[in-house]
Amino acid sequence: MKHLTGIGALSDEDITEILSRTLVWDAALETREGLGAPLKGRLLFNLFYENSTRTSLSFQVAATRMGADVISVPVAASSVHKGESLKDTVLTLCAQGADFMVLRASGAGTIETACKAMATFGYPTSVINAGEGAFGHPTQGLLDAATLLKATGRSLSEGLRGLTVAIVGDLLHSRVAASTAPLLARLGAEVRYCGPEAMLPQGDMPGVAMLTTDRAEALAGADVVMALRIQMERLEDGITIDPVDYRRSYGLTREALSHAKPNVFVMHPGPMNRGVEIDTDVADDQARSLILSQVAMGVPTRMAVLEFAAAL
Ligand code: CP
């Protein structure tokens, strides 16, 4: 069993393997053929300390499609609220036979804490990072890359070379940007960051070709534009956002998209604040929007990740 802690921990060969298996599982899900039950008898715990719709459910769907048993830990009703530590909760699930632990938590280092606790006690459980604070969300990065490969009809060997991807919004607090941007850059895309000064990382960002507060500059000639949610829960004291001002300067509106290529693809990891970072007519434009394709790709991506983690 292998852990999936972050994009940076994956080799180029790992990424190629996971993305190629994602596209195979995607085709199998469409035809309902060749699914089999490769994880029959395996036990997956979803342990989410933060809310989730897409990630938690897609891991459940993925594992169920592969024949595994799936249990979602009811964190709000668990002994976490009697003060039980992450380490003790993780060890409890391991002792109950967890093969996979899909973990979402807010604190830096929580994934590492879980991996260390298991190693200390000799449990072979695979930890899969399902979103760690603002630090990373590797399976989101993988599903975003797979969605773009499919939408553009590119092979894995072509990668995303020649594509310009503008990511607009709260980049400083976004775990999606922390995983998606470096992965898309590794696959050859030109990645641009755009947001208000207070939501842009400082200094050079490896793999990021442009850091700007100017939406028109970021979107100029872009093939793909991804909007990010303002992470209200992670904003430092003193940062206030007026939704109307924000939309005017950073929202994905029809007018804003006029700076991008005419056939630009629109992405958003969800959940969306419609009318703030993205307008409804843009989000629901079926010719351009990949938002539901991203959600759909979440299932085969997590199937490929479980297969990778189980070293099948
Ligand atoms: N994209 C994403 O992680 O969505 P959820 O928070 O609903 O899982």
Side-chain angles (χ1 to χ4, degrees), residues 54 227-230 243-244 246-248 250-254 266 268 270-286 289-292 295:
R54 281 148 288 273
L228 298 176
R229 184 174 68 88
I230 303 169
V244 176
Y246 184 88
R247 175 184 173 275
R248 191 178 305 118
Y250 296 104
L252 292 197
T253 61
R254 286 261 171 227
V266 172
H268 192 306
M272 290 184 276
N273 294 304
R274 289 173 182 261
V276 183
E277 74 263 8
I278 190 165
D279 278 3
T280 283
D281 61 342
V282 172
D284 295 347
D285 179 343
Q286 294 188 42
S289 174
L290 296 179
I291 295 169
L292 288 174
V295 176

Side-chain angles (χ1 to χ4, degrees), residues 45 48 71 80 242 280 305:
F45 280 106
F48 279 61
I71 295 176
V80 168
D242 178 275
T280 283
V305 163

Side-chain angles (χ1 to χ4, degrees), residues 120-145:
T120 304
F121 285 80
Y123 287 114
T125 310
S126 165
V127 177
I128 298 172
N129 179 349
E132 183 186 31
F135 309 98
H137 192 353
T139 61
Q140 179 73 42
L142 289 162
L143 77 85
D144 288 338

Side-chain angles (χ1 to χ4, degrees), residues 117-269:
M118 289 172 190
T120 304
F121 285 80
Y123 287 114
T125 310
S126 165
V127 177
I128 298 172
N129 179 349
E132 183 186 31
F135 309 98
H137 192 353
T139 61
Q140 179 73 42
L142 289 162
L143 77 85
D144 288 338
T147 302
L148 276 179
L149 287 170
K150 184 176 176 182
T152 56
R154 284 156 177 258
S155 66
L156 266 165
S157 57
E158 289 172 289
L160 301 175
R161 276 182 290 284
L163 277 191
T164 298
V165 181
I167 307 181
V168 183
D170 182 4
L171 290 139
L172 188 61
H173 303 95
S174 172
R175 56 184 166 220
V176 174
S179 290
T180 295
L183 179 56
L184 300 189
R186 272 171 83 173
L187 294 170
E190 177 185 318
V191 177
R192 301 174 179 174
Y193 272 11
C194 175
E197 193 79 48
M199 294 182 176
L200 279 180
Q202 299 301 311
D204 281 346
M205 294 292 299
V208 177
M210 180 191 290
L211 269 175
T212 180
T213 56
D214 182 340
R215 183 182 55 190
E217 183 188 18
L219 267 60
D223 301 281
V224 181
V225 182
M226 179 183 289
L228 298 176
R229 184 174 68 88
I230 303 169
Q231 310 275 304
M232 289 296 186
E233 66 276 30
R234 294 189 222 291
L235 291 187
E236 289 83 15
D237 288 346
I239 302 182
T240 51
I241 299 294
D242 178 275
V244 176
D245 285 348
Y246 184 88
R247 175 184 173 275
R248 191 178 305 118
S249 299
Y250 296 104
L252 292 197
T253 61
R254 286 261 171 227
E255 194 278 325
L257 285 187
S258 67
H259 297 283
K261 290 216 175 119
N263 55 351
V264 63
F265 285 122
V266 172
M267 302 178 81
H268 192 306

Side-chain angles (χ1 to χ4, degrees), residues 59-139:
F59 268 109
Q60 285 187 49
V61 174
T64 305
R65 292 279 193 222
M66 297 174 85
D69 300 312
V70 181
I71 295 176
S72 286
V73 180
V75 169
S78 75
S79 291
V80 168
H81 287 273
K82 298 176 193 163
E84 187 159 60
S85 68
L86 173 87
K87 174 181 167 180
D88 286 332
T89 302
V90 160
L91 290 173
T92 299
L93 302 184
C94 289
Q96 291 176 350
D99 294 296
F100 303 97
M101 195 171 307
V102 178
L103 177 58
R104 173 172 286 190
S106 57
T110 44
I111 301 292
E112 191 185 350
T113 300
C115 294
K116 275 190 182 156
M118 289 172 190
T120 304
F121 285 80
Y123 287 114
T125 310
S126 165
V127 177
I128 298 172
N129 179 349
E132 183 186 31
F135 309 98
H137 192 353
T139 61

